[in-house]
Amino acid sequence: MAEQSFDVVVIGGGPGGYIAAIRAAQLGLATACIDDGSRSDGKPAPGGTCTNVGCIPSKALLQSSENFELAGHAFADHGIGVAGLTIDVAKMLARKDKVVAQNNDGILYLFKKNAIAYFHGRGAFAGRDGERWRIAVDGPGAGSLSARHVIVATGSSPRALPGTPFDNLRVLDNAGALSIPEVPKRLGVVGAGVIGLEMGSVWRRLGAEVTILEALPTLLPAADEAIAKEARKAFTRQGLAMHFGVSIGAVRVGEDRVDVEYKDAAGAAQSAGFDRLIVSIGRVPTTAGLNGDGVGLKLDSRGFVEVDADCRTNLPGVWAIGDVVRGPMLAHKAEEEGVAVAERIAGQHGHVDFNTVPWVIYTSPEIAWVGETEQHLKAAGTAYRAGSFPFSANGRARALGDTSGFVKILADAADDRILGMHVIGPMASELIAEGVVAMEFGAASEDLARICHAHPSLSEATKEAALAVDKRTLNL
Ligand code: FAD
Ligand code: NAI
C-alpha cells in the first residue's frame, strides 16, 4: 500500500481529535484523522466517547427523562392534565441513537468540508523516517501514513471494579448505562461522581429505585461546599438513596441480578441486591494498541501520556490532548487543547486557560461552576467577599416553576476581581458562560453588577449575586 503523506496525523476522532484536525486544516496543514469508532452496522462513528457514549447520548436521555418527570409531576401546576402517562423506553433509546447518528454524520461532513482525510480504523505508531512518523491504520480504512506531527487524542475508557468486569448486561459501564432496555426496578450505582448522578437521575425519573454507593464521605468534594450541600438535599428529596463512606466488597453477578456486599461508613457489613449495577468510578486513559511502547512514548505513573504545559510529549513532533493527558476529563477541555496544539504546530501561540474551564453536571437542578471554591480560597488564605442570590427571588424562575438553588460569586477582597462563580439551579449550564467570560476578561464583581441584564431572565440572579458581593441586592 502506498504511503500517504501529511503534515499532521491525529489519532482519535473524539472532541479533542476532530477539533484539532479541523483547526489544523483551517491553518493550511495537510491533515488526516484516524478513528476506530463504529456504529452497530459497522459504519463509521467518529466523535469518540463524547458523541457516542458520553456527553451527547446522556444529555438526550436526561432530556427525555426530564420531560417524563415534568409531565408526571409539574404539568398539573400549570393546569395541564396528563392521563395515562407512559414511557416507551425503546423509542426513547432510538431517539437517543438518532441524535448520536446526526452528530456522527455532522463530523463526517466537517471532515469533508475541511478536506481532512479520515481513516476508519485503529492507528498505531509504525516507526520514524528522518523527521517523519510512520503511522499504520488497521481496519476498514486501512492505510499507511506519514507525518511530521502526530496528535494523540485517544481518550479514555471506563474503570472497572477490581474483579468485576463490565458485561453490560448486569454490570454496566457508561455505554451500558445509556442503553438499558427497560426501566430497572432496583438500580445500583457505584460512584456518586458525574456519571453516577446523571445516569442515576435518568433512571430514577423513569421509575427505578436508585441506590448510589460512594467511597468518599461527602458528595462532590470538588464543588463549592454550599453547592454540594444544596445538591445533596435536592437529590435526597428526589428519592436518590445515597450512601457515603462505603467500601465495596464482593460483587456477585447472577443471571438476572447483582448482589453487592459493602461496609458502610461505620464499618458495618451491608448487602444490597439490584437488577442492574452501573459502575462509574472514574475513567482511565486509552493507550492500548497505539504502539507507544514501541516508539518510547512516555506515560506518567497513572498511565496518562506525559505532556508539558503545551501538550508536547517526550517524542519530537508528537503531541497529546484530551482525556489521555492530565487535567479534567471534559470535552471542552479536550477541544481547547486540540485548537491550541494545531495553532502551535502552525507556528502560532495557542493558549488554554485551565483556571476558566467550566464544570457542569446536568442533573436537576443543574450544577455549574468556574474558578475557585470558597473552601479552597479559605485554605489558601485568600481574602475574598462572597455574594449569593436564590432563584426563589427571581421572577423568571418563579414563572418557570423552578426556584431551586442559587448563584454565588466570589471576588477578591482587595481588587474585587471575580475568582469563582457557582450555580445550582435552572439552566446553570448556560448561566455559567457569563462567569467564564467575566473571569477571562478579568472582570470585577462590580462590572457584572453594573451590566444591564434582560428582565425577566435567570441571568438577573447572576447580576444580583454580583450585587450581593457588595451587600446591595435589589430584589432580596
Ligand atoms: P474521546 O472522546 O474518548 O475520543 C477518543 C477516540 O479515539 C475514540 O473514538 C476512541 O475509540 C479513539 N481511539 C482510541 N485509540 C485509538 C487508536 N489507536 N486509533 C484510532 N482511534 C482510537 N464531558 C463534558 O465536557 N460534558 C459532558 O456533558 C460530558 N458527559 C459525559 C457523559 C458520559 C457518560 C461520559 C462517559 C463522559 C462524558 N464527558 C463529558 C467526558 C467527555 O466525553 C470526554 O472528556 C471527551 O470525550 C474526551 O475527548 P477526547 O477527544 O480526549 O477522547
Ligand atoms: P468521577 O470521577 O466523576 O466520579 C467517580 C466517583 O466514584 C467519585 O466520587 C469517587 O470517589 C467514586 N469512587 C471511586 N472508586 C470507588 C469505589 N471503589 N467505590 C465507590 N466509589 C468509588 O467519574 P465518573 O462519574 O466515572 O465520570 C468520569 C469522568 O467523565 C468525569 O470525571 C468527568 O470528567 C466526565 N464526565 C463529565 C460529565 C459532565 O461534564 N457533565 C458527565 C459525565 C462524565
Side-chain angles (χ1 to χ4, degrees), residues 360-380:
V360 178
I361 307 175
Y362 294 80
T363 44
S364 180
E366 288 187 350
I367 298 167
W369 71 88
V370 60
E372 299 287 0
T373 60
E374 204 166 341
Q375 67 266 23
H376 194 242
L377 290 175
K378 274 187 192 144

Side-chain angles (χ1 to χ4, degrees), residues 20-34:
I22 290 174
R23 186 69 188 121
Q26 281 177 345
L27 291 164
L29 299 163
T31 306
C33 184
I34 309 166

Side-chain angles (χ1 to χ4, degrees), residues 68-94:
F68 181 74
E69 177 143 289
L70 290 176
H73 295 98
F75 280 12
D77 275 355
H78 296 259
I80 303 169
V82 181
L85 184 67
T86 59
I87 179 74
D88 179 341
V89 174
K91 196 162 179 184
M92 177 184 76
L93 295 180

Side-chain angles (χ1 to χ4, degrees), residues 284-332:
V284 291
T286 306
T287 50
L290 251 187
N291 189 30
D293 275 359
V295 290
L297 181 66
K298 199 165 165 201
L299 307 185
D300 70 15
S301 57
R302 296 184 306 151
F304 290 88
V305 176
E306 195 168 284
V307 286
D308 67 8
D310 287 345
C311 292
R312 281 188 185 82
T313 70
N314 65 311
L315 300 176
V318 179
W319 310 72
I321 60 171
D323 278 13
V324 80
V325 303
R326 83 281 174 270
M329 287 185 167
L330 296 173
H332 41 283

Side-chain angles (χ1 to χ4, degrees), residues 273-297:
F274 304 108
D275 303 311
R276 314 242 183 198
L277 182 72
I278 297 174
V279 176
S280 46
I281 56 170
R283 296 177 64 82
V284 291
T286 306
T287 50
L290 251 187
N291 189 30
D293 275 359
V295 290
L297 181 66

